[in-house]
Amino acid sequence: MYPSRFRYEAPRSLDEAIGLLHDGGDYAKVLAGGQSLVPLMKLRFASPELIVDINNVPGLDYHRADPDGTLRIGALCRHADLERSALLAGTQPTMAAAAPLIADPIVRNRGTLVGSLCHADPQGDWASVVLALGGSVVAQGPAGRRTIPVADFVTGPFQNLLEPDEIAIEAVIPAAQGTRSGGYLKLERRVGDFATAGVAIALETSGELVTRAGIALTGVGGSTIGATEAAGSLVGKPLTAAAIEEAADLTAAVARPRTDHRGSAEFKRHIVRTFVIRILSRADAAEERAA
C-alpha cells in the first residue's frame, strides 16, 4: 500500500521544526530515522497530514559523555553509531550488549535510539535498556526544554508524554556512582525479529555490594515493564546465588506475557527468569575476575 497524501517539510533549525509542529497540531509527525513511522504510513495505520523531517537540523547526531560521566544521545544518533561506539563499549555494558541486537543492519543504519523511545513499541529494545539505566528524555517545544524520566515518558503501547509541538532532542543516561555492569538478552525467532522476551539489567557496585540496580523487560506486556522490586532486592547485597535466584523470581512475577504464535505465557516467563540469572551470573563472574 501507499501512504495517504501528506505535506513534507525539511526545516534547518529546531525553532523552525517546532514552529511547523505547532502549526500542524495533532496532524504532524516528526521524521528522524523513519524506520517505525514509514512502515506505519505505508500500512495506513498512521496518516499524518504533515511530516517534519529533522535530518537537516544540525547538531543532533551526537553521543557523548559529560565530564561527570553523564551520557547524552542526540535525536539523530543512529543505532549503528551506538553499535560501533568505543564510548559505549568501555562505559555502558548494557547499551553495548543491546546495540547489535536492534532489528537488522538496514534499520540500524537509519533508525535512532530517541526515535525508538518515542515510538514506544512494547517490543522495542531501547526503552527497556534506558529504563534499566534510569535514563530520561529531553523534550523541546515552544515553552522551552523539559526532562522526562523514561519511567514516566512511555505511557502505554505507542504512547508517550510528548506534546504535539514538542521534539525529543536527546536521551540522557545518568553517570554511574560505582562500577557499572549488566547486559541485555532477548529471544527472537530469527535475527532482526522483535523480541519474544527480552531483559535489560544495569548494575552499579562498590566493592562486593550492589549500590544501584535496574531491571526492565521487553515484549512481555502491553508496555515496557520495570521490575523495581526485583532490582531493589539486589541493592545493599553481594551478588550471591541466592540473591540472583530471588531477583529472577521477582522479575518473572511482574512479566505479563500472552500466549501467541511466539510461545506460551509460561514459556516466556521462564525465558525472563533464565535471562535474569544469566546476566547477573555473568556480572558476578566479571566482578570476581576484576577483584
Side-chain angles (χ1 to χ4, degrees):
M1 292 180 65
Y2 293 97
S4 57
R5 282 178 170 267
F6 60 89
R7 174 177 149 220
Y8 172 84
E9 296 285 352
R12 295 185 176 274
S13 71
L14 266 179
D15 288 342
E16 184 185 356
I18 291 167
L20 287 165
L21 289 175
H22 182 74
D23 294 340
D26 292 336
Y27 301 100
K29 291 291 185 183
V30 173
L31 175 72
Q35 300 305 295
S36 300
L37 178 60
V38 172
L40 289 177
M41 291 174 62
K42 291 178 71 175
L43 292 169
R44 299 208 177 188
F45 291 152
S47 299
E49 296 178 3
L50 170 63
I51 295 295
V52 179
D53 184 344
I54 63 171
N55 280 278
N56 290 327
V57 176
L60 295 178
D61 58 348
Y62 60 86
H63 70 285
R64 60 174 181 257
D66 291 346
D68 68 353
T70 299
L71 178 65
R72 299 183 182 275
I73 302 163
L76 294 178
C77 179
R78 313 295 173 180
H79 304 307
D81 297 331
L82 300 175
E83 181 183 9
R84 296 189 291 262
S85 170
L87 174 61
L88 260 61
T91 63
Q92 295 284 348
T94 305
M95 297 186 74
L101 302 179
I102 305 300
D104 56 47
I106 295 174
V107 171
R108 291 200 295 274
N109 282 332
R110 292 300 304 164
T112 65
L113 178 146
V114 173
S116 178
L117 296 180
C118 293
H119 186 50
D121 190 328
Q123 292 180 305
D125 303 289
W126 282 128
S128 57
V129 170
V130 177
L131 178 58
L133 285 160
S136 56
V137 171
V138 177
Q140 183 167 329
R145 294 189 179 188
R146 62 183 179 127
T147 299
I148 311 166
V150 167
D152 302 323
F153 182 72
V154 177
T155 58
F158 309 102
Q159 297 176 320
N160 63 54
L161 280 181
L162 286 177
E163 296 294 335
D165 55 2
E166 284 185 315
I167 296 176
I169 60 170
E170 72 175 4
V172 180
I173 307 298
Q177 301 303 309
T179 301
R180 183 167 267 159
S181 61
Y184 183 70
L185 290 173
K186 77 171 181 178
L187 178 67
E188 50 192 352
R189 293 180 301 172
R190 57 185 179 274
V191 174
D193 195 9
F194 288 109
T196 298
V199 175
I201 298 180
L203 299 177
E204 294 172 26
T205 55
S206 178
E208 294 184 352
L209 301 182
V210 176
T211 56
R212 183 199 172 275
I215 303 175
L217 308 180
T218 305
V220 287
S223 60
T224 302
I225 298 172
T228 53
E229 185 180 356
S233 74
L234 294 168
V235 176
K237 304 175 184 177
L239 276 179
T240 62
I244 291 172
E245 289 282 344
E246 180 185 8
D249 289 339
L250 290 171
T251 303
V254 300
R256 301 189 299 271
R258 285 184 169 185
T259 296
D260 58 18
H261 62 286
R262 298 172 185 268
S264 68
E266 181 182 2
F267 168 71
K268 295 175 185 179
R269 192 171 283 109
H270 170 73
I271 291 299
V272 166
R273 185 180 186 279
T274 300
F275 281 174
V276 173
I277 292 173
R278 286 185 185 177
I279 296 171
L280 291 177
S281 297
R282 291 174 185 174
D284 183 36
E287 288 178 19
E288 288 182 358
R289 288 194 299 270

